[in-house]
Amino acid sequence: MTAWAFACPDWEQRLFTGKSLVPDLPLDENEARRAVSIFDKLRLPDVPGQPLMRDAAGEWQRDIVRAIFGSLIDGARMVQEVFCMVPKKNSKTTGGAAITLTAFLMNARPRAELIYVGPTQEVADLAFQQTVGMIEADEYLAARFHIAHHTKTILDRRNKARLKVKTFDMKVMTGSKPVFVLLDELHLMATISGAARVIGQIRGGLLPNPEAVLIMITTQSDEPPAGVFKAELQYARGIRDGRIKGSALPILYEFPEAMQRQADWREPKNWPMVLPNLGRSITIERLVTDYSAAREKGEEEERRWASQHLNVEIGVALHSDRWLGADYWESAADPTITIESLIETSDCVVFGIDGGGLDDLYGLAAIGRDKITRDWRLWTHAWAHTDVLKIRKEIAERLRDFERDGDLTICEHPTQDVREIADIIQLARDAGVLPEKAGVGLDPVGVSAMVDELAAHGITGEQVVAIAQGYRLSGAVWGMERKLKDGTLWHDGSPLMAWCVGNAKVEQRGNAVVITKQASGKAKIDPLVAAFDAAMLMSRNPEPQRQPTYQMVFVG
């Protein structure tokens, strides 16, 4: 049987016009109508009067119901997964519970297993309690199903099928062969170590049942997407845009990237684009009041609010004691910058190095001075030993993301970081763009291995200098802020550095400012500190080893 295509290349126009995000599919219309009829007869359990879903649910939810249950063709479900990202207050969990109960009622497999899974038992229990309420609100359903509150289980008395709440854990999920799984709040699983393996186990358990379906529902993350959430979101976007083929139906209520970057999301007139349940579970008036309160508390709270209520993806996290350069970081990204292009287009390249122990990152930053414009161009990379993945489990999945992006190297050998850093600096030295004096700057504490490795590569003497840390870096901190704002500093746009910039916290000490690892806690900032080290050297207006060849530019 030929797999269905779920691409929706005109999704932006559909959002503008309020049309369904479900593409045209060759559904079994009889089954689709039957499923919608069941869905519409369910009642909202926690609203006065307990209205029917026919009146309370948006058409977008019925579109999903049609797609899921109308795709059962010759015993095999063609829509095997649904990835639904919708802002808060759009009946996400309640709608998921109603879809689950619809699946329960349409299930034909004896002793089938249906599962609710969440990042915590409490999250999964929200959907379970909504399902319980829908059953108890209907006389027929109350007679058909037995609810065991103490075990979080619902039994279909007709065919012994069971709906259970299960913990998001590898040991718990192993051995399950469900026909239906509702996975709620995927974005909260980004920091759970091994989350991808658990979801892989869930998918593996679904395989024996051709009618099985996995539904993931989530809001956007209030931090830059990471881990399993980032992977699944990128996968869903790839299917939606037609870049990849897959078995998941993507339903993504998010603004086009251009609108997010230009902050068009701040205009309430644009909000209906991403609020499919508008006029039912939420109103623009209530959101405007809530947004105004969030904005009064500062940009950090405004961004957090937008991520949850409008699905705006956060790039550089902001907080009240942030480094002010963070405000201009995103607009200064130039993804074409690589270490090779930096060496090729610069008359001079300097390096900063910052690292700590085995539970830390080792950061390298290179700043090149453009031959023509004299702008500064920044490239960074980081190294980490496997120890940090074990000790800092809360950021392990995020670090693996950076590794996949190509911005972080997980070391396989104890000296891999210092050797590879020295190799990169040697490239600049051999190209004649590393200054003969003060070309490499580093924290003087605990860098003997790095200094020895540089010496082994012929980089020694006055080329390597110590950079005083703490308040003595104030000049670089302020200097980079100014150059980011005036458009004379560009960087490679790596997600790793965006994370580090977002982690940076500033302490005022007298007339100086200090950005320290201690102030930033477990979140890492080493590559950013390395950039400050490099900025200290470039601010001295260094001379390259050789005279650069300038390109003549005529203006007239």
Side-chain angles (χ1 to χ4, degrees):
M1 189 177 293
T2 304
W4 289 2
F6 300 120
C8 189
D10 61 339
W11 65 273
E12 294 185 17
Q13 185 60 33
R14 287 175 180 242
L15 285 176
F16 277 113
T17 58
K19 292 184 178 180
S20 172
L21 294 183
V22 177
D24 294 334
L25 300 172
L27 302 175
D28 180 332
E29 292 297 338
N30 289 330
E31 283 298 286
R33 282 193 293 269
R34 186 165 79 95
V36 169
S37 177
I38 293 172
F39 177 86
D40 280 347
K41 291 175 182 175
L42 301 176
R43 292 186 176 276
L44 279 183
D46 53 355
V47 174
Q50 296 186 321
L52 296 171
M53 292 298 287
R54 179 188 61 204
D55 304 313
E59 194 61 26
W60 70 282
Q61 291 174 316
R62 274 179 281 276
D63 289 337
I64 296 174
V65 171
R66 290 188 189 96
I68 294 172
F69 299 102
S71 69
L72 190 63
I73 309 297
D74 296 329
R77 198 174 304 279
M78 307 305 292
V79 176
Q80 299 170 16
E81 295 185 16
V82 176
F83 184 97
C84 180
M85 186 171 72
V86 64
K88 280 186 175 181
K89 308 304 180 185
N90 278 271
S91 192
K92 171 178 59 65
T93 299
T94 299
I99 292 173
T100 304
L101 188 49
T102 301
F104 214 174
L105 288 163
M106 296 186 70
N107 167 62
R109 182 179 292 272
R111 300 185 180 278
E113 182 181 35
L114 295 84
I115 298 175
Y116 279 143
V117 187
T120 64
Q121 283 275 23
E122 289 75 14
V123 170
D125 192 48
L126 291 174
F128 177 79
Q129 293 301 332
Q130 290 295 89
T131 304
V132 168
M134 291 176 184
I135 291 172
E136 293 177 341
D138 185 281
E139 185 177 347
Y140 166 76
L141 298 181
R144 176 168 170 172
F145 294 102
H146 171 69
I147 302 169
H149 290 278
H150 62 294
T151 60
K152 305 296 182 185
T153 303
I154 301 173
L155 172 69
D156 186 343
R157 291 187 170 98
R158 285 190 172 186
N159 60 10
K160 306 305 180 185
R162 293 177 183 271
L163 171 62
K164 304 177 181 178
V165 172
K166 286 201 171 186
T167 304
F168 188 74
D169 182 89
M170 193 70 179
K171 295 177 182 178
V172 175
M173 298 309 305
T174 299
S176 290
K177 296 181 181 179
V179 299
F180 183 96
V181 177
L182 179 71
L183 198 157
D184 200 0
E185 298 295 12
L186 179 67
H187 74 280
L188 295 177
M189 299 174 187
T191 59
I192 298 176
S193 180
R197 291 178 61 237
V198 179
I199 292 180
Q201 183 65 41
I202 292 173
R203 287 190 167 113
L206 291 165
L207 287 177
N209 302 319
E211 78 277 25
V213 62
L214 167 63
I215 300 178
M216 300 183 191
I217 56 175
T218 187
T219 59
Q220 181 57 265
S221 173
D222 60 0
E223 295 182 349
V228 68
F229 173 65
K230 178 182 178 181
E232 296 293 343
L233 177 57
Q234 289 180 336
Y235 175 65
R237 285 171 173 166
I239 295 173
R240 176 196 64 187
D241 299 341
R243 292 182 283 106
I244 60 177
K245 293 182 179 180
S247 59
L249 174 64
I251 309 293
L252 307 175
Y253 283 94
E254 60 179 353
F255 290 111
E257 184 175 347
M259 292 186 68
Q260 294 197 41
R261 289 190 175 278
Q262 295 166 13
D264 291 339
W265 55 265
R266 286 191 169 100
E267 296 293 334
K269 67 180 181 181
N270 294 323
W271 293 358
M273 292 174 61
V274 297
L275 302 173
N277 228 52
L278 190 63
R280 294 178 176 86
S281 56
I282 192 64
T283 64
I284 290 292
E285 291 74 21
R286 287 175 59 192
L287 282 175
V288 167
T289 300
D290 200 36
Y291 173 59
S292 298
R295 196 167 186 175
E296 287 296 321
K297 297 174 184 177
E299 190 166 5
E300 179 187 7
E301 177 60 17
E302 180 187 16
R303 291 269 186 122
R304 186 209 62 78
W305 185 93
S307 72
Q308 297 302 285
H309 295 277
L310 299 175
N311 274 351
V312 174
E313 182 172 322
I314 289 180
V316 178
L318 298 178
H319 38 80
S320 58
D321 51 356
R322 67 188 180 276
W323 175 48
L324 292 181
D327 294 2
Y328 310 100
W329 189 260
E330 291 177 324
S331 62
D334 180 359
T336 66
I337 296 175
T338 64
I339 186 60
E340 292 80 11
S341 71
L342 203 66
I343 292 173
E344 177 65 27
T345 61
S346 303
D347 69 352
C348 184
V349 178
V350 296
F351 293 86
I353 301 172
D354 187 81
L358 293 179
D359 66 339
D360 226 333
L361 302 185
Y362 218 129
L364 173 68
I367 294 180
R369 187 174 58 205
D370 190 88
K371 295 176 183 178
I372 307 302
T373 66
R374 307 284 287 180
D375 286 354
W376 292 8
R377 296 165 69 80
L378 169 67
W379 173 86
T380 58
H381 195 81
W383 287 257
H385 288 271
T386 53
D387 304 65
V388 72
L389 302 177
K390 299 173 184 176
I391 298 172
R392 306 299 188 197
K393 292 182 179 180
E394 67 277 10
I395 61 171
E397 291 299 315
R398 192 176 292 276
L399 296 181
R400 287 295 189 188
D401 283 342
F402 299 146
E403 180 187 28
R404 286 186 283 270
D405 294 333
D407 303 323
L408 174 72
T409 298
I410 304 296
C411 297
E412 298 178 1
H413 309 289
T415 61
Q416 181 178 346
D417 44 8
V418 294
R419 286 190 290 103
E420 292 184 355
I421 288 173
D423 288 341
I424 291 170
I425 296 174
Q426 185 177 340
L427 290 175
R429 194 274 313 276
D430 292 347
V433 294
L434 183 71
E436 294 182 355
K437 295 183 178 180
V440 182
L442 37 71
D443 183 344
V445 178
V447 293
S448 58
M450 188 72 253
V451 172
D452 291 344
E453 190 64 38
L454 289 170
H457 283 66
I459 303 166
T460 186
E462 293 182 322
Q463 281 188 308
V464 182
V465 298
I467 301 293
Q469 303 294 297
Y471 73 89
R472 294 180 179 87
L473 277 177
S474 294
V477 173
W478 291 325
M480 283 183 62
E481 287 175 3
R482 179 171 290 275
K483 292 187 74 66
L484 283 166
K485 183 173 182 178
D486 67 21
T488 57
L489 170 60
W490 304 89
H491 60 83
D492 57 10
S494 75
L496 169 63
M497 272 297 281
W499 180 62
C500 292
V501 168
N503 291 338
K505 296 182 180 180
V506 175
E507 295 180 358
Q508 190 75 34
R509 296 185 183 175
N511 293 326
V513 294
V514 179
I515 297 179
T516 66
K517 298 174 188 176
Q518 289 79 11
S520 295
K522 295 177 181 179
K524 304 302 179 184
I525 61 170
D526 306 82
L528 177 61
V529 176
F532 291 144
D533 291 343
M536 288 294 287
L537 299 185
M538 187 57 79
S539 65
R540 301 175 185 178
N541 196 29
E543 292 296 327
Q545 289 175 276
R546 56 169 171 75
Q547 291 299 315
T549 301
Y550 289 96
Q551 178 180 342
M552 300 297 292
V553 178
F554 296 93
V555 180

